mmCIF file of all heavy atoms in Angstrom:
data_model
loop_
_atom_site.group_PDB
_atom_site.id
_atom_site.type_symbol
_atom_site.label_atom_id
_atom_site.label_comp_id
_atom_site.label_asym_id
_atom_site.label_seq_id
_atom_site.Cartn_x
_atom_site.Cartn_y
_atom_site.Cartn_z
ATOM 1 N N MET W 86 15.511 -6.845 -37.294
ATOM 2 C CA MET W 86 15.972 -6.726 -35.903
ATOM 3 C C MET W 86 16.631 -5.374 -35.658
ATOM 4 O O MET W 86 17.324 -4.840 -36.503
ATOM 5 C CB MET W 86 16.960 -7.863 -35.605
ATOM 6 C CG MET W 86 16.999 -8.206 -34.113
ATOM 7 S SD MET W 86 18.156 -9.570 -33.815
ATOM 8 C CE MET W 86 18.840 -9.016 -32.254
ATOM 9 N N GLU W 87 16.384 -4.884 -34.501
ATOM 10 C CA GLU W 87 16.874 -3.573 -34.080
ATOM 11 C C GLU W 87 18.380 -3.600 -33.816
ATOM 12 O O GLU W 87 18.884 -4.519 -33.192
ATOM 13 C CB GLU W 87 16.139 -3.236 -32.782
ATOM 14 C CG GLU W 87 16.122 -1.777 -32.411
ATOM 15 C CD GLU W 87 15.355 -1.573 -31.102
ATOM 16 O OE1 GLU W 87 14.877 -2.548 -30.519
ATOM 17 O OE2 GLU W 87 15.266 -0.432 -30.695
ATOM 18 N N ASN W 88 19.072 -2.604 -34.308
ATOM 19 C CA ASN W 88 20.489 -2.481 -33.985
ATOM 20 C C ASN W 88 20.666 -1.581 -32.783
ATOM 21 O O ASN W 88 20.196 -0.446 -32.780
ATOM 22 C CB ASN W 88 21.266 -1.900 -35.167
ATOM 23 C CG ASN W 88 21.453 -2.943 -36.252
ATOM 24 O OD1 ASN W 88 21.694 -4.110 -35.967
ATOM 25 N ND2 ASN W 88 21.337 -2.526 -37.491
ATOM 26 N N LEU W 89 21.323 -2.099 -31.781
ATOM 27 C CA LEU W 89 21.511 -1.331 -30.556
ATOM 28 C C LEU W 89 22.974 -0.995 -30.359
ATOM 29 O O LEU W 89 23.849 -1.796 -30.630
ATOM 30 C CB LEU W 89 21.007 -2.133 -29.346
ATOM 31 C CG LEU W 89 19.528 -2.526 -29.370
ATOM 32 C CD1 LEU W 89 19.218 -3.441 -28.193
ATOM 33 C CD2 LEU W 89 18.656 -1.284 -29.325
ATOM 34 N N TYR W 90 23.202 0.211 -29.885
ATOM 35 C CA TYR W 90 24.564 0.658 -29.655
ATOM 36 C C TYR W 90 24.701 1.223 -28.262
ATOM 37 O O TYR W 90 23.803 1.916 -27.771
ATOM 38 C CB TYR W 90 24.950 1.728 -30.687
ATOM 39 C CG TYR W 90 24.884 1.205 -32.101
ATOM 40 C CD1 TYR W 90 23.730 1.377 -32.861
ATOM 41 C CD2 TYR W 90 25.967 0.524 -32.649
ATOM 42 C CE1 TYR W 90 23.652 0.871 -34.146
ATOM 43 C CE2 TYR W 90 25.899 0.016 -33.936
ATOM 44 C CZ TYR W 90 24.745 0.192 -34.681
ATOM 45 O OH TYR W 90 24.669 -0.310 -35.947
ATOM 46 N N CYS W 91 25.818 0.939 -27.667
ATOM 47 C CA CYS W 91 26.106 1.444 -26.326
ATOM 48 C C CYS W 91 26.081 2.976 -26.327
ATOM 49 O O CYS W 91 26.699 3.608 -27.186
ATOM 50 C CB CYS W 91 27.474 0.924 -25.890
ATOM 51 S SG CYS W 91 28.047 1.640 -24.356
ATOM 52 N N THR W 92 25.358 3.549 -25.398
ATOM 53 C CA THR W 92 25.243 5.002 -25.329
ATOM 54 C C THR W 92 26.584 5.659 -24.998
ATOM 55 O O THR W 92 26.883 6.750 -25.457
ATOM 56 C CB THR W 92 24.205 5.388 -24.251
ATOM 57 O OG1 THR W 92 22.972 4.752 -24.568
ATOM 58 C CG2 THR W 92 23.986 6.888 -24.195
ATOM 59 N N SER W 93 27.394 4.981 -24.229
ATOM 60 C CA SER W 93 28.672 5.552 -23.797
ATOM 61 C C SER W 93 29.756 5.490 -24.860
ATOM 62 O O SER W 93 30.427 6.474 -25.131
ATOM 63 C CB SER W 93 29.171 4.839 -22.535
ATOM 64 O OG SER W 93 28.271 5.012 -21.484
ATOM 65 N N CYS W 94 29.930 4.316 -25.484
ATOM 66 C CA CYS W 94 31.081 4.156 -26.370
ATOM 67 C C CYS W 94 30.693 3.927 -27.827
ATOM 68 O O CYS W 94 31.543 3.941 -28.698
ATOM 69 C CB CYS W 94 31.960 3.002 -25.872
ATOM 70 S SG CYS W 94 31.190 1.386 -26.017
ATOM 71 N N GLY W 95 29.403 3.707 -28.106
ATOM 72 C CA GLY W 95 28.970 3.538 -29.480
ATOM 73 C C GLY W 95 29.175 2.151 -30.042
ATOM 74 O O GLY W 95 28.833 1.891 -31.195
ATOM 75 N N ARG W 96 29.700 1.260 -29.242
ATOM 76 C CA ARG W 96 29.905 -0.102 -29.664
ATOM 77 C C ARG W 96 28.564 -0.806 -29.871
ATOM 78 O O ARG W 96 27.628 -0.579 -29.108
ATOM 79 C CB ARG W 96 30.678 -0.808 -28.542
ATOM 80 C CG ARG W 96 31.311 -2.122 -28.876
ATOM 81 C CD ARG W 96 31.775 -2.810 -27.585
ATOM 82 N NE ARG W 96 32.378 -1.888 -26.622
ATOM 83 C CZ ARG W 96 33.689 -1.759 -26.433
ATOM 84 N NH1 ARG W 96 34.530 -2.461 -27.123
ATOM 85 N NH2 ARG W 96 34.143 -0.924 -25.523
ATOM 86 N N GLY W 97 28.455 -1.637 -30.878
ATOM 87 C CA GLY W 97 27.232 -2.408 -31.072
ATOM 88 C C GLY W 97 27.082 -3.444 -29.968
ATOM 89 O O GLY W 97 28.068 -4.039 -29.549
ATOM 90 N N VAL W 98 25.866 -3.614 -29.480
ATOM 91 C CA VAL W 98 25.660 -4.594 -28.415
ATOM 92 C C VAL W 98 24.709 -5.693 -28.885
ATOM 93 O O VAL W 98 23.780 -5.453 -29.651
ATOM 94 C CB VAL W 98 25.119 -3.944 -27.123
ATOM 95 C CG1 VAL W 98 26.162 -3.019 -26.520
ATOM 96 C CG2 VAL W 98 23.831 -3.169 -27.380
ATOM 97 N N THR W 99 24.945 -6.899 -28.423
ATOM 98 C CA THR W 99 24.107 -8.035 -28.801
ATOM 99 C C THR W 99 23.843 -8.923 -27.589
ATOM 100 O O THR W 99 24.506 -8.798 -26.560
ATOM 101 C CB THR W 99 24.787 -8.902 -29.877
ATOM 102 O OG1 THR W 99 26.098 -9.217 -29.436
ATOM 103 C CG2 THR W 99 24.830 -8.203 -31.213
ATOM 104 N N GLY W 100 22.907 -9.824 -27.744
ATOM 105 C CA GLY W 100 22.628 -10.803 -26.704
ATOM 106 C C GLY W 100 22.185 -10.158 -25.408
ATOM 107 O O GLY W 100 21.465 -9.165 -25.407
ATOM 108 N N ASP W 101 22.641 -10.715 -24.303
ATOM 109 C CA ASP W 101 22.213 -10.182 -23.013
ATOM 110 C C ASP W 101 23.384 -9.584 -22.247
ATOM 111 O O ASP W 101 23.354 -9.434 -21.037
ATOM 112 C CB ASP W 101 21.522 -11.269 -22.188
ATOM 113 C CG ASP W 101 22.407 -12.492 -22.002
ATOM 114 O OD1 ASP W 101 23.563 -12.469 -22.461
ATOM 115 O OD2 ASP W 101 21.948 -13.457 -21.386
ATOM 116 N N LYS W 102 24.425 -9.233 -23.003
ATOM 117 C CA LYS W 102 25.614 -8.707 -22.341
ATOM 118 C C LYS W 102 25.587 -7.198 -22.223
ATOM 119 O O LYS W 102 26.610 -6.536 -22.263
ATOM 120 C CB LYS W 102 26.869 -9.147 -23.096
ATOM 121 C CG LYS W 102 27.108 -10.635 -22.997
ATOM 122 C CD LYS W 102 28.519 -10.956 -23.459
ATOM 123 C CE LYS W 102 28.962 -12.342 -23.030
ATOM 124 N NZ LYS W 102 28.101 -13.396 -23.538
ATOM 125 N N PHE W 103 24.421 -6.654 -22.095
ATOM 126 C CA PHE W 103 24.321 -5.209 -21.907
ATOM 127 C C PHE W 103 23.071 -4.924 -21.085
ATOM 128 O O PHE W 103 22.220 -5.790 -20.902
ATOM 129 C CB PHE W 103 24.233 -4.498 -23.265
ATOM 130 C CG PHE W 103 22.977 -4.817 -24.027
ATOM 131 C CD1 PHE W 103 21.877 -3.972 -23.924
ATOM 132 C CD2 PHE W 103 22.879 -5.947 -24.817
ATOM 133 C CE1 PHE W 103 20.709 -4.257 -24.626
ATOM 134 C CE2 PHE W 103 21.723 -6.241 -25.517
ATOM 135 C CZ PHE W 103 20.631 -5.391 -25.414
ATOM 136 N N ILE W 104 22.991 -3.719 -20.581
ATOM 137 C CA ILE W 104 21.764 -3.335 -19.890
ATOM 138 C C ILE W 104 21.129 -2.175 -20.625
ATOM 139 O O ILE W 104 21.799 -1.369 -21.277
ATOM 140 C CB ILE W 104 21.981 -2.956 -18.409
ATOM 141 C CG1 ILE W 104 23.126 -1.957 -18.243
ATOM 142 C CG2 ILE W 104 22.228 -4.205 -17.570
ATOM 143 C CD1 ILE W 104 23.149 -1.290 -16.894
ATOM 144 N N ARG W 105 19.818 -2.115 -20.497
ATOM 145 C CA ARG W 105 19.043 -1.093 -21.193
ATOM 146 C C ARG W 105 18.020 -0.558 -20.205
ATOM 147 O O ARG W 105 17.311 -1.319 -19.560
ATOM 148 C CB ARG W 105 18.332 -1.767 -22.351
ATOM 149 C CG ARG W 105 17.542 -0.828 -23.207
ATOM 150 C CD ARG W 105 16.911 -1.650 -24.317
ATOM 151 N NE ARG W 105 16.306 -0.782 -25.296
ATOM 152 C CZ ARG W 105 15.732 -1.207 -26.421
ATOM 153 N NH1 ARG W 105 15.710 -2.497 -26.687
ATOM 154 N NH2 ARG W 105 15.197 -0.355 -27.258
ATOM 155 N N PHE W 106 17.991 0.727 -20.060
ATOM 156 C CA PHE W 106 17.039 1.319 -19.117
ATOM 157 C C PHE W 106 16.671 2.709 -19.590
ATOM 158 O O PHE W 106 17.380 3.311 -20.403
ATOM 159 C CB PHE W 106 17.634 1.370 -17.708
ATOM 160 C CG PHE W 106 18.961 2.078 -17.613
ATOM 161 C CD1 PHE W 106 19.021 3.417 -17.270
ATOM 162 C CD2 PHE W 106 20.145 1.399 -17.875
ATOM 163 C CE1 PHE W 106 20.243 4.073 -17.182
ATOM 164 C CE2 PHE W 106 21.373 2.052 -17.796
ATOM 165 C CZ PHE W 106 21.411 3.390 -17.440
ATOM 166 N N LEU W 107 15.581 3.215 -19.082
ATOM 167 C CA LEU W 107 15.163 4.557 -19.461
ATOM 168 C C LEU W 107 15.937 5.590 -18.658
ATOM 169 O O LEU W 107 16.287 5.355 -17.504
ATOM 170 C CB LEU W 107 13.662 4.729 -19.206
ATOM 171 C CG LEU W 107 12.740 4.034 -20.212
ATOM 172 C CD1 LEU W 107 11.300 4.107 -19.735
ATOM 173 C CD2 LEU W 107 12.870 4.660 -21.587
ATOM 174 N N CYS W 108 16.173 6.717 -19.271
ATOM 175 C CA CYS W 108 16.864 7.808 -18.595
ATOM 176 C C CYS W 108 16.152 8.126 -17.273
ATOM 177 O O CYS W 108 14.947 8.343 -17.253
ATOM 178 C CB CYS W 108 16.860 9.040 -19.497
ATOM 179 S SG CYS W 108 17.416 10.528 -18.678
ATOM 180 N N PRO W 109 16.897 8.154 -16.172
ATOM 181 C CA PRO W 109 16.279 8.423 -14.879
ATOM 182 C C PRO W 109 15.751 9.850 -14.747
ATOM 183 O O PRO W 109 14.939 10.130 -13.865
ATOM 184 C CB PRO W 109 17.413 8.159 -13.866
ATOM 185 C CG PRO W 109 18.662 8.117 -14.640
ATOM 186 C CD PRO W 109 18.328 7.860 -16.078
ATOM 187 N N GLU W 110 16.190 10.709 -15.628
ATOM 188 C CA GLU W 110 15.776 12.110 -15.559
ATOM 189 C C GLU W 110 14.498 12.378 -16.362
ATOM 190 O O GLU W 110 13.501 12.851 -15.839
ATOM 191 C CB GLU W 110 16.924 13.000 -16.063
ATOM 192 C CG GLU W 110 16.687 14.482 -15.927
ATOM 193 C CD GLU W 110 16.717 14.955 -14.482
ATOM 194 O OE1 GLU W 110 17.256 14.237 -13.615
ATOM 195 O OE2 GLU W 110 16.183 16.048 -14.216
ATOM 196 N N CYS W 111 14.503 12.019 -17.640
ATOM 197 C CA CYS W 111 13.358 12.359 -18.492
ATOM 198 C C CYS W 111 12.487 11.142 -18.832
ATOM 199 O O CYS W 111 11.378 11.308 -19.323
ATOM 200 C CB CYS W 111 13.840 13.033 -19.778
ATOM 201 S SG CYS W 111 14.787 11.947 -20.864
ATOM 202 N N SER W 112 12.993 9.942 -18.576
ATOM 203 C CA SER W 112 12.245 8.701 -18.862
ATOM 204 C C SER W 112 11.794 8.586 -20.312
ATOM 205 O O SER W 112 10.814 7.919 -20.611
ATOM 206 C CB SER W 112 11.019 8.587 -17.950
ATOM 207 O OG SER W 112 11.413 8.606 -16.606
ATOM 208 N N LYS W 113 12.504 9.231 -21.213
ATOM 209 C CA LYS W 113 12.107 9.201 -22.617
ATOM 210 C C LYS W 113 13.145 8.567 -23.514
ATOM 211 O O LYS W 113 12.859 8.175 -24.637
ATOM 212 C CB LYS W 113 11.831 10.622 -23.107
ATOM 213 C CG LYS W 113 10.477 11.121 -22.651
ATOM 214 C CD LYS W 113 10.267 12.558 -23.062
ATOM 215 C CE LYS W 113 8.981 13.101 -22.471
ATOM 216 N NZ LYS W 113 9.051 14.542 -22.257
ATOM 217 N N GLU W 114 14.350 8.504 -23.030
ATOM 218 C CA GLU W 114 15.433 8.010 -23.866
ATOM 219 C C GLU W 114 15.968 6.694 -23.303
ATOM 220 O O GLU W 114 16.184 6.581 -22.098
ATOM 221 C CB GLU W 114 16.548 9.072 -23.910
ATOM 222 C CG GLU W 114 17.746 8.688 -24.744
ATOM 223 C CD GLU W 114 17.490 8.789 -26.238
ATOM 224 O OE1 GLU W 114 16.407 9.236 -26.649
ATOM 225 O OE2 GLU W 114 18.390 8.397 -26.994
ATOM 226 N N ASP W 115 16.140 5.724 -24.192
ATOM 227 C CA ASP W 115 16.764 4.479 -23.773
ATOM 228 C C ASP W 115 18.255 4.682 -23.599
ATOM 229 O O ASP W 115 18.921 5.212 -24.485
ATOM 230 C CB ASP W 115 16.562 3.411 -24.860
ATOM 231 C CG ASP W 115 15.351 2.552 -24.579
ATOM 232 O OD1 ASP W 115 14.986 2.409 -23.395
ATOM 233 O OD2 ASP W 115 14.773 2.023 -25.531
ATOM 234 N N ILE W 116 18.752 4.288 -22.473
ATOM 235 C CA ILE W 116 20.190 4.289 -22.243
ATOM 236 C C ILE W 116 20.661 2.846 -22.371
ATOM 237 O O ILE W 116 20.087 1.962 -21.760
ATOM 238 C CB ILE W 116 20.535 4.809 -20.828
ATOM 239 C CG1 ILE W 116 19.847 6.146 -20.539
ATOM 240 C CG2 ILE W 116 22.040 4.875 -20.627
ATOM 241 C CD1 ILE W 116 20.398 7.333 -21.262
ATOM 242 N N ILE W 117 21.657 2.636 -23.188
ATOM 243 C CA ILE W 117 22.182 1.293 -23.395
ATOM 244 C C ILE W 117 23.656 1.279 -23.010
ATOM 245 O O ILE W 117 24.420 2.163 -23.412
ATOM 246 C CB ILE W 117 22.003 0.868 -24.863
ATOM 247 C CG1 ILE W 117 20.504 0.753 -25.167
ATOM 248 C CG2 ILE W 117 22.699 -0.462 -25.127
ATOM 249 C CD1 ILE W 117 20.180 0.797 -26.639
ATOM 250 N N ARG W 118 24.018 0.316 -22.208
ATOM 251 C CA ARG W 118 25.409 0.240 -21.782
ATOM 252 C C ARG W 118 25.956 -1.160 -22.003
ATOM 253 O O ARG W 118 25.369 -2.135 -21.565
ATOM 254 C CB ARG W 118 25.519 0.605 -20.305
ATOM 255 C CG ARG W 118 24.890 1.939 -20.014
ATOM 256 C CD ARG W 118 25.164 2.366 -18.613
ATOM 257 N NE ARG W 118 26.514 2.875 -18.500
ATOM 258 C CZ ARG W 118 27.197 2.918 -17.382
ATOM 259 N NH1 ARG W 118 26.667 2.487 -16.288
ATOM 260 N NH2 ARG W 118 28.411 3.411 -17.360
ATOM 261 N N CYS W 119 27.077 -1.209 -22.669
ATOM 262 C CA CYS W 119 27.700 -2.498 -22.917
ATOM 263 C C CYS W 119 28.394 -2.980 -21.647
ATOM 264 O O CYS W 119 28.551 -2.234 -20.683
ATOM 265 C CB CYS W 119 28.688 -2.398 -24.081
ATOM 266 S SG CYS W 119 30.163 -1.449 -23.718
ATOM 267 N N GLN W 120 28.825 -4.224 -21.697
ATOM 268 C CA GLN W 120 29.466 -4.843 -20.552
ATOM 269 C C GLN W 120 30.704 -4.077 -20.101
ATOM 270 O O GLN W 120 30.949 -3.902 -18.910
ATOM 271 C CB GLN W 120 29.870 -6.261 -20.985
ATOM 272 C CG GLN W 120 29.933 -7.256 -19.871
ATOM 273 C CD GLN W 120 30.315 -8.631 -20.402
ATOM 274 O OE1 GLN W 120 30.850 -8.749 -21.499
ATOM 275 N NE2 GLN W 120 30.044 -9.648 -19.639
ATOM 276 N N VAL W 121 31.479 -3.631 -21.081
ATOM 277 C CA VAL W 121 32.724 -2.928 -20.774
ATOM 278 C C VAL W 121 32.458 -1.623 -20.029
ATOM 279 O O VAL W 121 33.093 -1.316 -19.026
ATOM 280 C CB VAL W 121 33.514 -2.640 -22.078
ATOM 281 C CG1 VAL W 121 34.775 -1.854 -21.799
ATOM 282 C CG2 VAL W 121 33.851 -3.945 -22.778
ATOM 283 N N CYS W 122 31.479 -0.862 -20.532
ATOM 284 C CA CYS W 122 31.177 0.421 -19.910
ATOM 285 C C CYS W 122 30.548 0.241 -18.529
ATOM 286 O O CYS W 122 30.744 1.055 -17.638
ATOM 287 C CB CYS W 122 30.271 1.245 -20.816
ATOM 288 S SG CYS W 122 31.120 1.784 -22.309
ATOM 289 N N ARG W 123 29.793 -0.811 -18.355
ATOM 290 C CA ARG W 123 29.248 -1.123 -17.037
ATOM 291 C C ARG W 123 30.370 -1.372 -16.059
ATOM 292 O O ARG W 123 30.394 -0.849 -14.955
ATOM 293 C CB ARG W 123 28.376 -2.377 -17.116
ATOM 294 C CG ARG W 123 26.953 -2.118 -17.501
ATOM 295 C CD ARG W 123 26.217 -3.410 -17.648
ATOM 296 N NE ARG W 123 26.030 -4.086 -16.362
ATOM 297 C CZ ARG W 123 25.598 -5.335 -16.217
ATOM 298 N NH1 ARG W 123 25.321 -6.037 -17.272
ATOM 299 N NH2 ARG W 123 25.425 -5.845 -15.038
ATOM 300 N N LYS W 124 31.293 -2.191 -16.498
ATOM 301 C CA LYS W 124 32.407 -2.595 -15.649
ATOM 302 C C LYS W 124 33.266 -1.388 -15.277
ATOM 303 O O LYS W 124 33.704 -1.238 -14.138
ATOM 304 C CB LYS W 124 33.257 -3.619 -16.409
ATOM 305 C CG LYS W 124 34.028 -4.564 -15.516
ATOM 306 C CD LYS W 124 34.640 -5.663 -16.352
ATOM 307 C CE LYS W 124 35.996 -6.079 -15.772
ATOM 308 N NZ LYS W 124 36.777 -6.854 -16.737
ATOM 309 N N ASN W 125 33.490 -0.518 -16.252
ATOM 310 C CA ASN W 125 34.334 0.647 -16.020
ATOM 311 C C ASN W 125 33.556 1.848 -15.503
ATOM 312 O O ASN W 125 34.112 2.930 -15.351
ATOM 313 C CB ASN W 125 35.058 1.035 -17.314
ATOM 314 C CG ASN W 125 35.973 -0.077 -17.785
ATOM 315 O OD1 ASN W 125 36.458 -0.869 -17.001
ATOM 316 N ND2 ASN W 125 36.196 -0.154 -19.083
ATOM 317 N N ALA W 126 32.249 1.667 -15.282
ATOM 318 C CA ALA W 126 31.382 2.747 -14.801
ATOM 319 C C ALA W 126 31.543 4.007 -15.651
ATOM 320 O O ALA W 126 31.698 5.114 -15.155
ATOM 321 C CB ALA W 126 31.647 3.041 -13.328
ATOM 322 N N LYS W 127 31.531 3.801 -16.948
ATOM 323 C CA LYS W 127 31.666 4.921 -17.880
ATOM 324 C C LYS W 127 30.457 5.852 -17.838
ATOM 325 O O LYS W 127 29.330 5.407 -17.641
ATOM 326 C CB LYS W 127 31.838 4.377 -19.305
ATOM 327 C CG LYS W 127 33.277 4.203 -19.698
ATOM 328 C CD LYS W 127 33.417 4.281 -21.188
ATOM 329 C CE LYS W 127 34.419 5.317 -21.631
ATOM 330 N NZ LYS W 127 34.238 5.705 -23.021
ATOM 331 N N ILE W 128 30.719 7.099 -18.046
ATOM 332 C CA ILE W 128 29.655 8.107 -18.045
ATOM 333 C C ILE W 128 28.779 7.959 -19.283
ATOM 334 O O ILE W 128 29.279 7.711 -20.369
ATOM 335 C CB ILE W 128 30.293 9.523 -18.036
ATOM 336 C CG1 ILE W 128 31.077 9.747 -16.743
ATOM 337 C CG2 ILE W 128 29.251 10.607 -18.236
ATOM 338 C CD1 ILE W 128 30.245 9.878 -15.503
ATOM 339 N N TYR W 129 27.484 8.094 -19.109
ATOM 340 C CA TYR W 129 26.595 8.141 -20.266
ATOM 341 C C TYR W 129 25.896 9.493 -20.294
ATOM 342 O O TYR W 129 25.748 10.153 -19.270
ATOM 343 C CB TYR W 129 25.562 7.005 -20.235
ATOM 344 C CG TYR W 129 24.646 7.030 -19.036
ATOM 345 C CD1 TYR W 129 23.526 7.866 -19.010
ATOM 346 C CD2 TYR W 129 24.911 6.231 -17.941
ATOM 347 C CE1 TYR W 129 22.687 7.880 -17.905
ATOM 348 C CE2 TYR W 129 24.077 6.240 -16.834
ATOM 349 C CZ TYR W 129 22.968 7.072 -16.819
ATOM 350 O OH TYR W 129 22.142 7.104 -15.735
ATOM 351 N N VAL W 130 25.495 9.894 -21.466
ATOM 352 C CA VAL W 130 24.779 11.158 -21.621
ATOM 353 C C VAL W 130 23.459 10.898 -22.324
ATOM 354 O O VAL W 130 23.436 10.315 -23.409
ATOM 355 C CB VAL W 130 25.616 12.168 -22.437
ATOM 356 C CG1 VAL W 130 24.872 13.491 -22.558
ATOM 357 C CG2 VAL W 130 26.977 12.386 -21.811
ATOM 358 N N CYS W 131 22.360 11.334 -21.738
ATOM 359 C CA CYS W 131 21.062 11.205 -22.375
ATOM 360 C C CYS W 131 20.993 12.180 -23.542
ATOM 361 O O CYS W 131 21.277 13.364 -23.400
ATOM 362 C CB CYS W 131 19.952 11.508 -21.374
ATOM 363 S SG CYS W 131 18.323 11.594 -22.138
ATOM 364 N N LYS W 132 20.613 11.651 -24.714
ATOM 365 C CA LYS W 132 20.564 12.500 -25.910
ATOM 366 C C LYS W 132 19.413 13.485 -25.848
ATOM 367 O O LYS W 132 19.415 14.523 -26.504
ATOM 368 C CB LYS W 132 20.420 11.623 -27.150
ATOM 369 C CG LYS W 132 21.725 11.002 -27.600
ATOM 370 C CD LYS W 132 21.509 10.073 -28.781
ATOM 371 C CE LYS W 132 21.882 8.646 -28.404
ATOM 372 N NZ LYS W 132 21.324 7.652 -29.311
ATOM 373 N N LYS W 133 18.408 13.161 -25.065
ATOM 374 C CA LYS W 133 17.216 14.021 -25.002
ATOM 375 C C LYS W 133 17.382 15.177 -24.036
ATOM 376 O O LYS W 133 17.099 16.317 -24.355
ATOM 377 C CB LYS W 133 16.008 13.182 -24.635
ATOM 378 C CG LYS W 133 15.543 12.289 -25.770
ATOM 379 C CD LYS W 133 14.051 12.478 -26.033
ATOM 380 C CE LYS W 133 13.654 11.932 -27.385
ATOM 381 N NZ LYS W 133 13.985 10.509 -27.560
ATOM 382 N N CYS W 134 17.817 14.871 -22.798
ATOM 383 C CA CYS W 134 17.834 15.928 -21.779
ATOM 384 C C CYS W 134 19.230 16.298 -21.324
ATOM 385 O O CYS W 134 19.413 17.243 -20.570
ATOM 386 C CB CYS W 134 16.987 15.515 -20.582
ATOM 387 S SG CYS W 134 17.698 14.182 -19.614
ATOM 388 N N GLY W 135 20.235 15.548 -21.772
ATOM 389 C CA GLY W 135 21.601 15.885 -21.408
ATOM 390 C C GLY W 135 22.031 15.371 -20.042
ATOM 391 O O GLY W 135 23.129 15.673 -19.586
ATOM 392 N N PHE W 136 21.174 14.592 -19.409
ATOM 393 C CA PHE W 136 21.524 14.014 -18.119
ATOM 394 C C PHE W 136 22.734 13.107 -18.235
ATOM 395 O O PHE W 136 22.841 12.322 -19.167
ATOM 396 C CB PHE W 136 20.316 13.223 -17.581
ATOM 397 C CG PHE W 136 20.566 12.528 -16.272
ATOM 398 C CD1 PHE W 136 20.488 13.224 -15.080
ATOM 399 C CD2 PHE W 136 20.884 11.172 -16.247
ATOM 400 C CE1 PHE W 136 20.711 12.579 -13.872
ATOM 401 C CE2 PHE W 136 21.117 10.521 -15.038
ATOM 402 C CZ PHE W 136 21.037 11.225 -13.852
ATOM 403 N N THR W 137 23.661 13.228 -17.314
ATOM 404 C CA THR W 137 24.810 12.330 -17.312
ATOM 405 C C THR W 137 24.820 11.493 -16.043
ATOM 406 O O THR W 137 24.412 11.965 -14.981
ATOM 407 C CB THR W 137 26.148 13.105 -17.396
ATOM 408 O OG1 THR W 137 26.253 13.946 -16.255
ATOM 409 C CG2 THR W 137 26.221 13.929 -18.650
ATOM 410 N N GLY W 138 25.242 10.260 -16.182
ATOM 411 C CA GLY W 138 25.282 9.381 -15.023
ATOM 412 C C GLY W 138 26.374 8.341 -15.189
ATOM 413 O O GLY W 138 26.828 8.109 -16.293
ATOM 414 N N PRO W 139 26.760 7.759 -14.101
ATOM 415 C CA PRO W 139 27.802 6.731 -14.149
ATOM 416 C C PRO W 139 27.228 5.350 -14.486
ATOM 417 O O PRO W 139 26.041 5.155 -14.344
ATOM 418 C CB PRO W 139 28.353 6.720 -12.728
ATOM 419 C CG PRO W 139 27.236 7.203 -11.874
ATOM 420 C CD PRO W 139 26.352 8.084 -12.746
HETATM 421 ZN ZN1 ZN F 101 30.105 0.826 -24.058
HETATM 422 ZN ZN1 ZN F 102 16.998 12.105 -20.321
#
């Protein structure tokens, strides 16, 4: 099984308590956000293109 980590805080995520989507800029990198970062609208950074979003 794949280990997934929140892109914003690095916390491991499990179950359905996170969202996963492709970078809106380059569509090549999976952005993963845990529940906490979603709630706090934490900034994420795409590792591929450097795009940042809330
Ligand atoms: Zn997080
Ligand atoms: Zn990107």
Side-chain angles (χ1 to χ4, degrees):
M86 206 179 143
E87 200 180 1
N88 285 321
L89 300 174
Y90 299 94
C91 172
T92 303
S93 298
C94 68
R96 195 192 319 259
V98 294
T99 51
D101 56 3
K102 292 194 164 59
F103 65 95
I104 49 165
R105 183 179 189 177
F106 55 95
L107 285 172
C108 170
E110 186 70 19
C111 67
S112 302
K113 282 176 186 151
E114 180 75 4
D115 265 333
I116 309 288
I117 295 161
R118 306 188 78 203
C119 70
Q120 208 179 19
V121 177
C122 291
R123 274 176 69 191
K124 206 171 146 196
N125 298 333
K127 268 205 125 199
I128 296 290
Y129 61 82
V130 181
C131 172
K132 280 176 243 162
K133 287 232 163 57
C134 70
F136 178 81
T137 61

